[in-house]
Amino acid sequence: MSTAPAVDVMLEMQRRMLRIRRFDERASKMVKRGQIPGTVHTSIGQEAQVVGACMALGTHDYMSGNHRSHGHPIGKGAPLGPLMAELVGKATGVCKGKGGSLHLADFAVGSLGESGIVGSSIPIATGAGLSAKVLGKDLVALAFFGDGAANQGCLYESMNLAGVWKLPVIYLCENNQYALSTPAHTVTSGVIADRAAGFGMPGVRVENGQDVLAVFDAVSTAVTRARAGEGPSLVEVVTYRFNEHSEGLKLGVDYRNTDEKQEWLAKDPIVLFRTELIRRGAATDAELDGLEAEVLAEVDEAVRFTNESPYPEPSTAFDDLYTDPPTPRRAAQLVADRAQGQTQAQSPAMADADPVGAPR
Amino acid sequence: MTVMSYLGAIGAAQKEAMLADERVIIIGEDVEANVYGTTGGSGKSRASEGDFLQMFGRNRIRNTPISEEVIVGAAAGAAMTGLRPIVDLSYSSFLYMAMDQFVNQVAKNRYMFGGQASMPVVFRSAMFYGLNTGAHHSDRPYPMFMNVPGLKIITPAYPSDAKGLLRSAVDSDDPVLIFEACVLWGTKEEVDEAEYHIPLGVGRTLREGTDVTVVAVSGAVPEAVAAADVLAQEGISVEVFDPRTLVPLDIDGILTATAKTGRLVVADPAHRTCSAASEISATVAEEIFDELKAPIRRVTTPDMQIPFSPALEKQLYPSRASIAEAVRAQLGVRPSREAVAS
């Protein structure tokens, strides 16, 4: 076991977990009031798993994620205002209103994008690991995915490629034990962490994913290994989502039994870590109350920023498909020129074409 | 100038790009051993001049496992974080294994993330139709990808086009798919060995004419040119235009070529339904209806799977005979005896 992180690091962990919690609680309310269009998938209950992993990474290390998205960029240190504005679809959103909750990305903190397609972003993180290796950058990449995604083929293609090329990637399975309404054990053969051995890499299962330091420890080991050029690792973290799969979703069937829910609700990662911080003498009650108040103020500020931000102009729906959009067509002008009997006008692009290779 | 095969031109463009920018890498199955002829010298040993693995090393020339989904997705992730990969996917029919990565990652990330990402990646693949390889190797999938906003698609038909377009594709910061007709791989042309770029979205006039315009795609281009030369003997003057890029399409060039004659035949080896020919035809009808003297005709591969037997396959693709027939039909001319017999 490694030594505990420094006090300021631990306090930052609590801060980021609180940010995720208060942000997602607020987002949930805003969905119910119709202030956020569509829905969101909260990370409430999973904060230790997200933050323990994110804080084992450096600010510029890469990360990709999934529909349960908000916690990932928040855990990586992204500012809350542009994230909240993105959920509402404002022009000041981190993706200019183009992505929404399912497609958050903040490249400034290495967040390469959350994907609405389960498993789809795992190869992206793998590729970020490839570029770090080829370009000789001291960076690693972490792919967040759930127990549901753990059965997507692209995870195994990615692990195989990362393993054989020794790419600096951490495959982090957020096992909250349910893929929407489906219990993981009913659709998963074997133990997810055990699959790593088949690909020649370490596989670790963190049984108590509600303990932020346990998660931090396991991911730090994987990050160290990756940075040393020894290749990828698989880390499976067992956790639980306290809310429904998505906010506003009401399923007729109660697919999670009450006893199980009660057992996990009693393991609130933020409450647990608060107790731990006090036990270690890292902070006092007053300091931690102050921290909570600061985070609430941050979330309030994010909402104020969002409310005061404009929506994007409709014309911006046509921006950023390409880095260089095709030149506007002069079709009508060309036809008009011909009708007036002028010399056949070349299209402007053709005028620029190299004559080399032209036939005859 | 030197005589280069199409494959040689691809190799020349790749070598240029690799030399010009250290961020360019080539990944794909069998690239280290130069199995397809685009990553190596002409000799039989590793030490022969031009061998990519020797020139560029294992960091930048990488054999991949047979894992299209991660090959494509990792190339996308690498492109978003500083590399400029050229991905060799071998056969175009294999692209479907990675459809989610193409459509939901490669094509969408720049847009969805509000411009934070650029995707400077090139995906090469070859369509082995017309070579008795059967249904799983003969696909011409470019129409499917034309329908995905955010991708760019090139289909050069000649070595000189392949060299200039591929070079532009690698230098582009947008994702480009290049579909090569394998039947064209061995064709030769005088090509400039020096660096040159052909911009994407710019077509090429191959024959000038006044009676009928043929717009042709990929492997149908040389067939269209051959048809034009036969028809010239019959006193029919045919304009042949190759868009060279399917996305973005050189609509100006197509409209200009069509308006010249008022009669259009579009020849495309893809299956008829939703082919590139369909898109070109609809666009022409929409834009210059008043210039048309006849309905637009498409010459495409029928909506049929590709059979293996040589007795069955070849008849299906656009040929100089079927293109010439369509041109004559546009003019109300009965088919020549040769056309009927072939």
Side-chain angles (χ1 to χ4, degrees), chain B residues 204-339:
Chain B
R204 173 181 175 187
T205 302
L206 291 148
R207 289 292 185 269
E208 298 204 30
T210 51
D211 293 328
V212 178
T213 301
V214 178
V215 172
V217 174
S218 185
V221 177
E223 294 298 307
V225 170
D229 291 343
V230 163
L231 291 162
Q233 311 285 327
E234 297 169 24
I236 298 173
S237 168
V238 178
E239 172 104 358
V240 180
F241 184 80
D242 173 7
R244 301 193 291 192
T245 302
L246 293 180
V247 181
L249 199 53
D250 182 0
I251 296 175
D252 286 349
I254 290 167
L255 296 179
T256 303
T258 303
K260 241 183 120 176
T261 67
R263 294 185 176 85
L264 178 62
V265 169
V266 191
D268 174 9
H271 294 292
R272 184 174 182 77
T273 298
C274 296
S275 52
S278 305
E279 174 60 22
I280 292 166
S281 302
T283 303
V284 169
E286 225 166 17
E287 298 278 343
I288 54 168
F289 178 75
D290 289 335
E291 307 276 316
L292 294 176
K293 299 173 188 161
I296 300 165
R297 280 174 195 269
R298 294 170 290 171
V299 180
T300 57
T301 301
D303 294 332
M304 183 52 54
Q305 291 302 350
I306 302 302
F308 159 72
S309 172
L312 299 176
E313 187 193 5
K314 198 157 180 189
Q315 63 178 325
L316 298 177
Y317 306 116
S319 65
R320 53 202 65 189
S322 61
I323 294 170
E325 224 174 282
V327 170
R328 291 187 198 98
Q330 290 292 54
L331 293 165
V333 171
R334 276 199 295 261
S336 70
R337 216 172 298 172
E338 288 76 30

Side-chain angles (χ1 to χ4, degrees), chain A residues 292-310:
Chain A
E292 300 226 12
E294 275 171 33
V295 170
L296 272 171
E298 281 177 9
V299 175
D300 280 342
E301 169 58 27
V303 175
R304 186 204 62 75
F305 170 77
T306 296
N307 290 340
E308 289 176 10
S309 291

Side-chain angles (χ1 to χ4, degrees), chain A residues 120 131 317 322-324 354 357, chain B residues 81 100 111 151-152 174 197 204:
Chain A
S120 189
S131 76
Y322 296 113
T323 60
D324 71 327
D354 290 320
Chain B
T81 51
D100 173 70
Y111 184 84
L151 301 176
K152 294 186 173 173
D174 292 321
H197 291 70
R204 173 181 175 187

